[in-house]
């Protein structure tokens, strides 16, 4: 027998098997043929595997949305992953916001209260962006990758073996149907006994192959419990990564609040000035109040100290001592340059801007911004 004859016979056999399965499947759907039912344990394992697959996909996709809300960015990362190439590094949203704040602060002047605060906020936002990037990387390795490996690896193997089990079951039932017909024909003396014997042998072979495939499928499905245990460990890793991320963000914002709270008169002076000059600043005040409600105890202390400080500034009628909070370079000869942590004498003069005081250091005298001072008792 040459190779061509062998291939032709193999194709004919495959076609015959496919036709036999198709006929059996159709007759089962029409209720014209009996169907071998799987045992209850195997059916339960199949349902558990299907349920695991569906929920794993949903959890995985929603985690990807959580870590990367931008669908275009997710699609780009998916394409680069399929091409086995590293996606180009781009700044995330907190990093972009932080850079804008730093650029704005430098533009307004690091020596000004608002510019200095913007720079500090920008640096904090960039640290949050770096923490966010670390969260995404850690979660992808420890959580998303194992879930994806199950969907694209283990479950595909289960699906393949399950499909093979279905084919073996169809072959078995088709052989049973042929045996049944052969016995009916024998009873009518329409065929020889050899045909019945041949059909019985086919049933035995088909039953053996079906039982073997059922055992293989069962062993694979029983591994779902181990998959759940593995995914539980991965879930713990994901929760730990989130806990680390939120703890870092909280610490960063707490440090930032302390830095901004070290000169509370800055915000009150700006709010006082803006409330009498322009309406948009009211939204800043509202935003600050909304943010303060998140950490009520800390902001309450900060606001009390700020109100007290403002009252002291307004009530100055004589000389007072004040500690300088930040370095300040005089803009002209009427102002006094300041060095952080030095103590100077300050007092108010009639007609002066409410944001300024007169300062003295030895024989030097000039205007100083009150936002750079902390009055001493």
């Amino acid at each position: 027998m040459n190779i061509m004859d062998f291939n032709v016979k193999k194709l004919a056999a495959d076609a015959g098997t496919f036709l036999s399965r198709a006929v059996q499947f159709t007759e089962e759907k029409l209720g014209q043929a009996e169907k071998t039912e799987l045992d209850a344990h195997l059916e339960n394992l199949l349902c558990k595997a299907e349920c695991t697959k569906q929920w794993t996909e949903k959890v995985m996709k929603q985690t990807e949305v959580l870590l990367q809300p931008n669908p275009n960015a997710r699609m780009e990362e998916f394409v680069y992953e399929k091409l086995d190439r590293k996606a180009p590094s781009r700044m995330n949203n907190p990093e972009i916001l932080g850079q804008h704040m730093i650029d704005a602060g430098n533009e307004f002047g690091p020596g000004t209260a608002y510019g200095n605060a913007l720079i500090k906020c920008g640096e904090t936002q960039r640290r949050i962006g770096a923490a966010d990037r670390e969260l995404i990387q850690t979660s992808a390795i420890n959580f998303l990758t194992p879930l994806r490996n199950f969907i694209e690896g283990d479950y595909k193997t289960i699906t393949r073996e399950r499909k093979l089990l279905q084919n073996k079951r169809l072959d078995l039932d088709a052989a049973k149907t042929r045996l049944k017909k052969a016995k009916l024909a024998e009873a009518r003396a329409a065929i020889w006994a050899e045909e019945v014997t041949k059909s019985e042998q086919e049933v035995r072979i088909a039953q053996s192959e079906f039982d073997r495939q059922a055992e293989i499928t069962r062993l694979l499905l029983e591994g779902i419990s181990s998959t759940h245990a593995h995914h539980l460990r991965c879930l713990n890793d994901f929760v730990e990564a989130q806990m680390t991320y939120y703890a870092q963000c909280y610490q960063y914002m707490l440090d930032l609040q302390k830095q901004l709270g070290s000169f509370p008169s800055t915000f009150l002076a700006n709010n006082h000035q803006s409330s009498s000059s322009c309406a948009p600043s009211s939204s800043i005040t509202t935003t600050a109040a909304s943010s303060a409600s998140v950490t009520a105890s800390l902001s309450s202390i900060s606001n009390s100290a700020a109100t007290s400080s403002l009252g002291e500034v307004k009530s100055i009628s004589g000389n007072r001592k004040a500690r300088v909070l930040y370095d300040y370079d005089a803009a002209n000869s009427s102002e006094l340059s300041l060095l952080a942590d030095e103590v100077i004498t300050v007092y108010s003069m009639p007609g002066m801007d409410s944001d300024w005081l007169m300062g003295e250091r030895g024989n030097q005298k000039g205007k100083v911004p009150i936002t750079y001072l902390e009055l001493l008792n």
Side-chain angles (χ1 to χ4, degrees):
M1 181 187 299
N2 56 36
I3 296 178
M4 183 174 294
D5 291 339
F6 176 79
N7 289 337
V8 170
K9 288 186 177 182
K10 186 176 184 303
L11 289 174
D14 291 343
T17 301
F18 176 80
L19 180 60
S20 175
R21 291 171 181 170
V23 171
Q24 178 66 27
F25 182 80
T26 303
E27 290 180 350
E28 288 176 357
K29 291 298 182 182
L30 297 176
Q32 299 174 355
E34 295 181 359
K35 176 182 177 181
T36 299
E37 299 294 339
L38 301 176
D39 65 82
H41 178 60
L42 187 56
E43 286 285 4
N44 290 335
L45 290 175
L46 288 170
C47 291
K48 183 178 181 180
E50 181 65 25
C51 181
T52 301
K53 180 252 186 183
Q54 291 178 357
W55 283 110
T56 299
E57 284 183 331
K58 290 181 179 180
V59 170
M60 182 178 68
K61 290 179 180 178
Q62 197 56 40
T63 302
E64 291 173 343
V65 172
L66 173 68
L67 297 176
Q68 178 51 269
N70 189 333
N72 293 329
R74 291 201 306 274
M75 180 59 67
E76 182 183 44
E77 291 172 359
F78 175 79
V79 171
Y80 275 102
E81 182 180 351
K82 291 301 179 183
L83 295 176
D84 197 19
R85 295 175 57 188
K86 184 178 180 180
S89 178
R90 290 187 175 87
M91 296 175 67
N92 54 32
N93 290 331
E95 289 173 329
I96 294 174
L97 174 60
Q99 190 60 51
H100 287 341
M101 285 182 169
I102 291 174
D103 293 342
N106 289 326
E107 183 71 22
F108 297 151
T112 66
Y114 184 41
N116 192 0
L118 274 173
I119 292 175
K120 291 182 181 299
C121 290
E123 292 172 347
T124 299
Q125 290 295 330
R126 290 207 301 189
R127 285 195 289 270
I128 291 176
D132 182 67
R133 193 181 298 278
E134 179 66 22
L135 170 65
I136 293 175
Q137 183 179 3
T138 302
S139 300
I141 296 174
N142 296 336
F143 186 58
L144 288 177
T145 298
L147 297 186
R148 188 176 293 110
N149 288 342
F150 167 73
I151 296 298
E152 298 179 355
D154 295 349
Y155 192 79
K156 281 189 175 181
T157 302
I158 291 174
T159 302
R160 183 173 61 252
E161 297 300 330
R162 182 179 180 178
K163 183 178 180 181
L164 188 55
L165 176 63
Q166 171 72 355
N167 290 336
K168 295 299 182 182
R169 203 270 307 161
L170 289 172
D171 291 341
L172 173 60
D173 288 337
K176 288 180 179 180
T177 300
R178 288 193 296 270
L179 175 60
K180 185 177 180 180
K181 291 179 179 179
K183 287 184 177 181
L184 289 174
E186 182 188 33
R188 297 170 186 169
I191 62 172
W192 297 100
E194 287 80 1
E195 286 295 326
V196 176
T197 303
K198 180 180 178 182
S199 297
E200 289 176 343
Q201 186 178 4
E202 288 180 354
V203 171
R204 286 194 297 270
I205 294 174
Q207 183 70 57
S208 176
E209 291 181 353
F210 170 76
D211 293 341
R212 178 177 176 274
Q213 186 58 39
E215 181 65 15
I216 293 174
T217 306
R218 182 186 64 80
L219 291 174
L220 285 173
L221 292 172
E222 288 178 345
I224 292 294
S225 297
S226 298
T227 298
H228 284 191
H230 177 52
H231 287 180
L232 174 58
R233 293 192 294 271
C234 297
L235 181 62
N236 287 332
D237 292 340
F238 178 54
V239 171
E240 184 176 349
Q242 284 186 304
M243 183 183 69
T244 301
Y245 167 71
Y246 289 120
Q248 286 177 326
C249 291
Y250 174 76
Q251 188 61 49
Y252 293 154
M253 297 309 296
L254 190 63
D255 294 342
L256 175 62
Q257 186 184 50
K258 289 179 180 178
Q259 293 178 44
L260 298 182
S262 64
F263 49 102
S265 56
T266 299
F267 302 108
L268 291 175
N270 288 341
N271 290 340
H272 175 72
Q273 180 184 5
S274 59
S275 63
S276 61
S277 60
C278 58
S281 294
S282 63
S283 64
I284 300 177
T285 306
T286 303
T287 304
S290 175
S291 175
S293 65
V294 180
T295 53
S297 59
L298 292 175
S299 62
S300 175
I301 296 173
S302 176
N303 289 339
S304 298
T307 304
S308 175
S309 176
L310 181 63
E312 289 180 326
V313 170
K314 287 185 175 181
S315 63
I316 289 180
S317 57
N319 295 347
R320 291 286 300 275
K321 294 294 184 181
R323 184 174 67 86
V324 179
L325 297 174
Y326 315 101
D327 292 343
Y328 178 74
D329 294 329
N332 51 55
S333 58
S334 67
E335 298 179 5
L336 179 66
S337 295
L338 303 174
L339 296 175
D341 295 326
E342 71 172 327
V343 177
I344 62 174
T345 301
V346 295
Y347 55 90
S348 62
M349 295 183 63
M352 285 189 65
D353 191 310
S354 60
D355 291 336
W356 296 80
L357 291 173
M358 288 299 296
E360 289 187 358
R361 183 200 306 111
N363 295 328
Q364 297 178 327
K365 182 171 63 174
K367 294 192 302 180
V368 294
I370 62 174
T371 56
Y372 282 67
L373 303 174
E374 179 185 12
L375 294 179
L376 302 176
N377 295 328

